[in-house]
Amino acid sequence: MRGVLSNEHPYRDNVFQVHGVDRSEKAVWRRKLARENWLKVLRQSVEPGCEIGMEACGGAHHWARRLQEHGFKVRLVAPQFVKPYVKSNKNDANEAEAICETMGWPHIGFVSVKSIEQQDIQAAHRVRAELIKQRTAKANQIRGLVAEYGLVAPKKLELLRRPLPCWLEDAENGLSGRFRRLLHGLGAICKHSMSG
């Protein structure tokens, strides 16, 4: 038997849709299982070694590792390969069936199940990328704001920190007290983020 789990929003949903087919691809099992006991029901109903497929979405790697601990062969299907097989309205039951059908095709590329260490590294990269994006946005905001007062900010990020104290101290550059306070706050926010 091949089993499939579908949980479109595993970080917020409390239900897993299960769809199972036999060796001849005939549907033999369709159930909604509550989050708190779905693994127990699956272990009682499906033999270890059975192939379990899931869409590679949030939480899939965690559940894949849990299933592997219990002897199941887990395959994660990339979402772009599942979408064409959803036959009608998109819901968990139809998506579980589509995942099951997708798993039967020989040329589908599966996503490798990530270890906890791999997920830690990926999380660090994602956080770093987001911080860089925020830093760039903040620097661009400062450039745009000071340009409205006739000041030219350096284009290079690492050079942007230098003129901030000068602009704040220069009483004759036309900056209002309110804008100086705002710019001081922006400078404090950027002080640490722009040092890296």
Side-chain angles (χ1 to χ4, degrees):
M1 180 170 121
R2 182 186 317 136
V4 173
L5 302 172
S6 176
N7 187 359
E8 190 172 342
H9 304 289
Y11 48 87
R12 73 169 192 232
D13 288 351
N14 291 317
V15 175
F16 286 83
Q17 180 70 41
V18 181
H19 182 90
V21 296
D22 61 18
R23 291 189 196 314
S24 61
E25 301 293 322
K26 180 182 175 195
V28 293
W29 203 38
R30 289 186 180 120
R31 286 183 69 180
K32 265 187 183 176
L33 301 173
R35 182 184 193 96
E36 60 272 0
N37 68 350
W38 76 270
L39 190 55
K40 180 181 175 185
V41 172
L42 197 71
R43 287 178 59 209
Q44 292 170 348
S45 307
V46 180
E47 294 178 23
C50 173
E51 186 177 66
I52 304 286
M54 297 188 308
E55 186 172 355
C57 60
H61 293 279
H62 165 76
W63 292 117
R65 287 190 303 270
R66 295 283 308 274
L67 288 163
Q68 286 173 337
E69 290 169 8
H70 295 291
F72 295 106
K73 178 181 178 185
V74 181
R75 301 184 112 186
L76 300 180
V77 181
Q80 69 266 25
F81 294 128
V82 174
K83 191 174 182 180
Y85 293 98
V86 177
K87 291 183 177 126
S88 58
N89 295 335
K90 186 175 191 262
N91 59 42
D92 284 346
N94 290 338
E95 195 162 291
E97 186 176 350
I99 294 167
C100 202
E101 187 173 336
T102 303
M103 289 177 58
W105 288 94
H107 303 296
I108 296 297
F110 292 99
V111 176
S112 298
V113 177
K114 288 183 180 77
S115 68
I116 290 175
E117 181 182 6
Q118 288 171 319
Q119 282 192 271
D120 290 348
I121 291 168
Q122 183 181 42
H125 285 298
R126 285 180 178 172
V127 169
R128 183 178 185 278
E130 183 61 29
L131 290 172
I132 289 170
K133 184 176 166 185
Q134 290 172 6
R135 176 181 72 181
T136 302
K138 193 56 62 190
N140 289 336
Q141 183 181 39
I142 290 171
R143 284 188 197 95
L145 290 171
V146 299
E148 295 294 325
Y149 290 86
L151 301 174
V152 178
K155 288 187 178 180
K156 290 196 173 213
L157 190 61
E158 59 272 9
L159 300 178
L160 184 59
R161 287 182 294 151
R162 293 181 192 161
L164 286 173
C166 299
W167 293 333
L168 293 171
E169 293 171 12
D170 183 356
E172 306 206 5
N173 61 8
L175 300 182
S176 67
R178 176 180 288 168
F179 186 74
R180 284 177 197 280
R181 288 188 297 278
L182 178 66
L183 191 58
H184 182 269
L186 287 172
I189 291 169
C190 292
K191 184 177 181 181
H192 297 292
S193 69
M194 288 185 189
S195 62

